[in-house]
Amino acid sequence: MVDTWTRDRCDPLMPMRRPIVGTSEDNPLFDEETIRSWLRSSYERLERKGLLATQRGRVSFRVPARDTFHLYAGGEEFSTGQSAEGTSIESLLFGQRSDAGSVIVARPAWGSRLAEIPGAMPALFDEQVRQLGKSVETLSWMPGDTLSTSDEKKISRGDTAYLWNGNVVVVGYSLDRAVFN
């Protein structure tokens, strides 16, 4: 039997499955290198499964108790404030939703076809409703724009997935939850 320490060291996503205790300042799980490792392994997992499909795919993680999030886009990593100033879809969602712990932006081949469905994507299967919600709405917001009332309402509902600018955007309360949605 593998002890807990060894198992946790072998699975970079394991710390995200445990409840977060304390603030990020006193929690060793939130040092820069650990966060980068989580993002890199999550990105590579999605890439292996063909879910990122293009160079536009990116994975981000909000650091608890800090006004920052880390973003990994396949080679480039950077940290930025979580304000809703409109610099990226990640900063918008982290700024608007306190429950968002991670955001994944991807453009899988099937995802770009979802935008062709008029209106919101309807719920077809029970599992889809459990994971994504009753519908998947399209956000019209673009970086630099003011958030419209319509988009603000869509975001405030707390949905797990959105269509945005030809991309599928998945929001999770943790990095682990976003990856598996």
Side-chain angles (χ1 to χ4, degrees), residues 18 27-28 43 61 82 101 118-119 132 134 142 151-152 158 169:
R18 284 185 262 146
N27 194 327
Y43 184 92
F61 171 74
Q82 69 168 342
L132 303 178
K134 291 182 180 179
M142 294 301 286
D151 281 350
E152 191 172 3
V169 179

Side-chain angles (χ1 to χ4, degrees), residues 69-117:
F69 66 89
H70 293 267
L71 185 137
Y72 184 73
E76 294 181 37
E77 298 175 51
F78 60 91
S79 178
T80 185
Q82 69 168 342
S83 66
E85 293 176 358
T87 56
S88 68
I89 190 70
E90 292 88 356
S91 65
L92 174 74
L93 291 170
F94 286 136
Q96 293 289 313
R97 293 191 44 188
S98 61
D99 66 327
S102 185
V103 175
I104 297 173
V105 178
R107 190 181 284 225
W110 56 266
S112 59
R113 297 287 183 209
L114 292 175
E116 297 173 7
I117 298 172

Side-chain angles (χ1 to χ4, degrees), residues 46-67:
L46 293 169
E47 193 172 46
R48 277 192 312 271
K49 292 187 174 283
L51 297 174
L52 296 178
T54 68
Q55 297 173 356
R56 295 182 183 202
R58 51 193 194 253
V59 178
S60 59
F61 171 74
R62 179 192 300 204
V63 181
R66 291 188 199 164
D67 191 29

Side-chain angles (χ1 to χ4, degrees), residues 10-22:
C10 295
D11 181 0
L13 293 179
M14 184 52 79
M16 295 309 299
R17 295 186 182 114
R18 284 185 262 146
I20 297 168
V21 179

